[in-house]
Amino acid sequence: MASHSRAITLTSSQKMMIFVLSMSLYGLSNMFTELIPEFRIGPVELSVEYFAFIPLTLCMLFSPLHAAVGAALGEVIFGELMLGQFGGLGELEKFLTFSFAMYVAGRMVRDPLNRVQVGVAAIAGVIIHQACSSLIDIGKVWVGVDDFDTIPGLAESVVVVEGFSFLNDVLFSGILFALLPTAYLVPRLYGKIEPLLGIRPRGKAAYEAGGVSAKIVATGILLAVVSFGAAALSKTDWNFAEWDSGFEDRFGTGAIWISIAAAALVALVVLAFFRMRKNRGPQAEAPGESPYV
Amino acid sequence: MQLVRNWFSRISLERIQLELMNTAYGSGHASLSRLDPRCLLLWYLFFAIVPWFLSSFVVLAGLFLLTAATTVLSRVTPFVIVVLCLGLIGQVGWLFVLSLFFGGDVGSALPLLKLTLKLSVVSLASITVFSGMDPEKISDGLLALGLPASISFSLSYGYRILPVLFEEFRNVLLSYRLRGQSPERPGFLYWRMAAYYLKLLTMAFFPLMLATAKRSRTTVEALETRGFSYGMRNPASKKLKLSHLRVAARDIAFLSGTAAYVALLFWIG
């Protein structure tokens, strides 16, 4: 068992295995949590938000980057696409915050056999994720609505909804479905699940950051800002008064065509981006680099 | 409580599994699934973005009718529709109740109805494309539009592996139930039952983790035997894989028909 603190490098197949494992397991669990009904007493709801222990456990035992991204993709595929709940652009923000939180939680653990450390990291992961998504949700409404005060009860209801869901997710889902199972599972699975993937148990060594460089972090932040903007734009209708009515007065029905043109432009830019990446892809990648993620 | 029990007997795990199998394998016969996946994905992109920028009731309702029609055409299982409706009610109904509580009035229901329309247009479009089409076709379409191979692979793998995973999960769950003892009294509002089942649901994932680890190793080994990671980085092999995609006359007809319909809507609205 390698207990010296050298970074572990994985082959691309091992990365893919972690990715597929995390994706299918968390995806399956996400399907269930989407279907479990919520239990509400007034504004307090006891809902099973997610089975966070699955990605948390995998992030702590394996390379956190691949496990985190795999889990986030699993959520999109099983929980959203298959059940027809895919919200389009707004999902980008969920994807980023979730994989970021899981990644951080995985990096926090130095010794997988230390239950206290595992538990602290697990609950920290949930808190990071929920805090990020609550703040983004509140921010969307604040940004999206110009005349916040003219709509009775909007500001309070948004803050109350978000605050309660934050508390519920951290105290109920976070403890029952993240803290306890993760603290139980990680020390038990350690040394048993790794050989199944042909990977040496990590010991106290950290996984290599998985190619996380300053460039990727910067891209991530940029993407986060873009997704926030996209989400804020897409949620502008939460202003129960009309945000774009002034627009329509000035330009008449032409406003519709402007918005369509904007949408078409977005679509074209996205397409052009992918095509560019596709054409450039094989040459730009260094020869030995992993094709995954 | 009788109602709840009836409802639960309807949505047994077997039934959900059957529906999922239908989603994964049964979509080849739908008329929409013969279209070119790239065209359908572009079509979806329009319906995923544009509704958010609209505020006209007529246009939104028209778009809703169109996506509802395509959903019917793509022969989606009723299970998916039920989930969609529950989600919509949960998302929007609750906001309405709260804004009433904080001094809004019934007038705030109208914008909320609009929000519901938007959400359902986006969801129905995604159901049409992603539940109505063959997973392999979607995955090829995504690959052709330039998404990384690991993502497009994961999508088709997810659809294919789900029934298997589900079966395995069900077996684990049943064996736990056989060995364990369910609570003697259901408790107030069935909370004992709920706690018992939630605990089982969580614990059933523990053995599943090991089993899935084995399975994902097998999967990746099989992929590498077929040269997945290096093949997908080679432009020539990617081209060969995607060479069966063709834009036919019916694709053009579908896209232009939609465009004409949407233009008509905007002209009216």
Side-chain angles (χ1 to χ4, degrees):
Chain A
M1 231 171 263
S3 57
H4 41 86
S5 59
R6 209 160 35 82
I8 303 167
T9 23
L10 295 171
T11 66
S12 66
S13 311
Q14 287 169 330
K15 287 175 190 167
M16 186 70 180
M17 282 177 206
I18 298 169
F19 186 78
V20 168
L21 167 65
S22 177
M23 184 205 68
S24 43
L25 260 186
Y26 185 61
L28 181 70
S29 80
N30 208 268
M31 214 155 198
F32 289 118
T33 49
E34 291 277 329
L35 296 178
I36 293 175
E38 292 158 1
F39 182 68
R40 285 196 174 121
I41 316 170
V44 186
E45 62 170 284
L46 298 178
S47 71
V48 185
E49 179 64 17
Y50 46 22
F51 281 176
F53 71 91
I54 294 170
L56 283 169
T57 305
L58 296 176
C59 282
M60 287 169 194
L61 291 173
F62 297 111
S63 154
L65 180 71
H66 300 95
V69 174
L73 186 68
E75 180 178 356
V76 169
I77 291 177
F78 287 77
E80 317 267 339
L81 286 183
M82 282 190 193
L83 296 180
Q85 310 205 320
F86 189 60
L89 277 180
E91 306 292 341
L92 192 61
E93 153 239 322
K94 233 199 259 173
F95 187 93
L96 286 173
T97 51
F98 185 73
S99 42
F100 170 72
M102 294 299 120
Y103 175 77
V104 171
R107 296 291 286 184
M108 276 171 77
V109 173
R110 292 273 146 227
D111 177 13
L113 291 174
N114 184 343
R115 267 170 213 269
V116 177
Q117 210 178 69
V118 169
V120 169
I123 202 78
V126 174
I127 289 177
I128 293 173
H129 176 232
Q130 292 301 334
C132 283
S133 53
S134 299
L135 286 179
I136 288 178
D137 280 351
I138 294 177
K140 270 183 218 165
V141 182
W142 279 100
V143 170
V145 183
D146 291 334
D147 37 3
F148 210 57
D149 307 326
T150 57
I151 303 135
L154 179 63
E156 291 90 340
S157 56
V158 167
V159 171
V160 165
V161 166
E162 290 301 328
F164 271 121
S165 83
F166 174 78
L167 281 183
N168 159 58
D169 293 342
V170 170
L171 295 181
F172 185 72
S173 303
I175 290 177
L176 285 184
F177 301 106
L179 175 65
L180 296 178
T182 314
Y184 171 83
L185 271 180
V186 170
R188 273 176 196 245
L189 285 180
Y190 174 74
K192 296 192 183 66
I193 195 170
E194 293 95 337
L196 293 177
L197 296 186
I199 296 172
R200 189 197 290 265
R202 56 175 275 186
K204 282 186 177 139
Y207 275 98
E208 60 170 347
V212 174
S213 58
K215 201 172 110 193
I216 290 188
V217 171
T219 322
I221 293 173
L222 188 75
L223 268 179
V225 171
V226 169
S227 74
F228 177 77
L233 252 181
S234 69
K235 284 289 158 67
T236 38
D237 200 81
W238 285 46
N239 52 357
F240 299 128
E242 293 306 323
W243 164 75
D244 37 9
S245 63
F247 212 48
E248 217 171 277
D249 287 345
R250 263 178 281 149
F251 298 106
T253 46
I256 295 164
W257 296 106
I258 293 176
S259 54
I260 291 207
L265 196 70
V266 169
L268 279 180
V269 167
V270 169
L271 266 181
F273 174 72
F274 279 129
R275 287 221 82 93
M276 212 172 68
R277 274 204 37 202
K278 183 179 147 196
N279 294 341
R280 201 192 52 188
Q283 291 88 21
E285 271 174 37
E289 214 175 312
S290 140
Y292 305 116
V293 182
Chain B
M1 276 304 132
Q2 188 59 39
L3 190 79
V4 176
R5 220 172 294 152
N6 277 345
W7 202 63
F8 268 110
S9 65
R10 286 264 179 92
I11 54 161
S12 63
L13 282 177
E14 287 88 352
R15 189 175 165 102
I16 294 182
Q17 191 185 355
L18 217 72
E19 300 269 0
L20 289 176
M21 293 282 254
N22 201 8
T23 308
Y25 294 102
S27 47
H29 55 267
S31 49
L32 271 182
S33 65
R34 283 201 300 273
L35 292 173
D36 183 69
R38 286 169 298 178
C39 293
L40 261 185
L41 285 171
L42 283 182
W43 181 88
Y44 168 68
L45 212 58
F46 176 81
F47 282 96
I49 296 172
V50 171
W52 296 111
F53 297 96
L54 298 175
S55 62
S56 153
F57 248 120
V58 182
V59 179
L60 276 176
L63 290 183
F64 174 77
L65 282 182
L66 178 66
T67 46
T70 55
T71 309
V72 171
L73 276 181
S74 62
R75 302 211 192 159
V76 180
T77 57
F79 166 71
V80 171
I81 303 287
V82 169
V83 171
L84 168 77
C85 294
L86 284 180
L88 279 180
I89 293 168
Q91 234 167 337
V92 179
W94 191 236
L95 259 177
F96 175 59
V97 172
L98 261 195
S99 80
L100 275 187
F101 184 73
F102 281 110
D105 51 11
V106 188
S108 54
L110 207 65
L112 276 175
L113 186 64
K114 213 177 260 183
L115 180 65
T116 315
L117 267 182
K118 288 184 189 189
L119 285 175
S120 26
V121 169
V122 173
S123 304
L124 285 177
S126 90
I127 287 182
T128 301
V129 173
F130 291 103
S131 307
M133 234 194 325
D134 204 18
E136 260 87 52
K137 282 188 95 174
I138 309 173
S139 144
D140 281 350
L142 286 175
L143 197 65
L145 291 179
L147 243 68
S150 57
I151 291 185
S152 71
F153 163 74
S154 302
L155 186 76
S156 62
Y157 177 75
Y159 273 89
R160 292 298 188 220
I161 205 68
L162 179 67
V164 181
L165 267 180
F166 204 86
E167 172 77 35
E168 197 160 338
F169 180 81
R170 203 164 66 95
N171 286 341
V172 176
L173 199 69
L174 283 180
S175 66
Y176 268 125
R177 280 181 67 186
L178 275 177
R179 276 179 285 168
Q181 189 187 17
S182 66
E184 283 172 13
R185 285 168 297 120
F188 177 63
L189 282 179
Y190 280 74
W191 76 270
R192 271 179 222 272
M193 289 308 257
Y196 173 70
Y197 277 109
L198 276 181
K199 196 179 164 207
L200 275 193
L201 209 58
T202 314
M203 290 195 6
F205 273 100
F206 299 176
L208 207 62
M209 277 190 166
L210 294 167
T212 315
K214 263 192 207 163
R215 172 164 298 123
S216 69
R217 180 176 187 171
T218 318
T219 307
V220 173
E221 278 170 357
L223 272 178
E224 291 309 333
T225 319
R226 298 169 134 227
F228 172 75
S229 56
Y230 291 95
M232 279 302 109
R233 288 172 62 208
N234 187 342
S237 85
K238 209 163 142 186
K239 213 170 159 188
L240 188 69
K241 181 175 161 59
L242 299 176
S243 61
H244 68 94
L245 295 179
R246 288 234 158 62
V247 180
R250 58 167 172 259
D251 301 313
I252 310 259
F254 176 68
L255 284 185
S256 51
T258 307
Y261 177 73
V262 172
L264 184 73
L265 276 182
F266 281 123
W267 188 64
I268 295 173

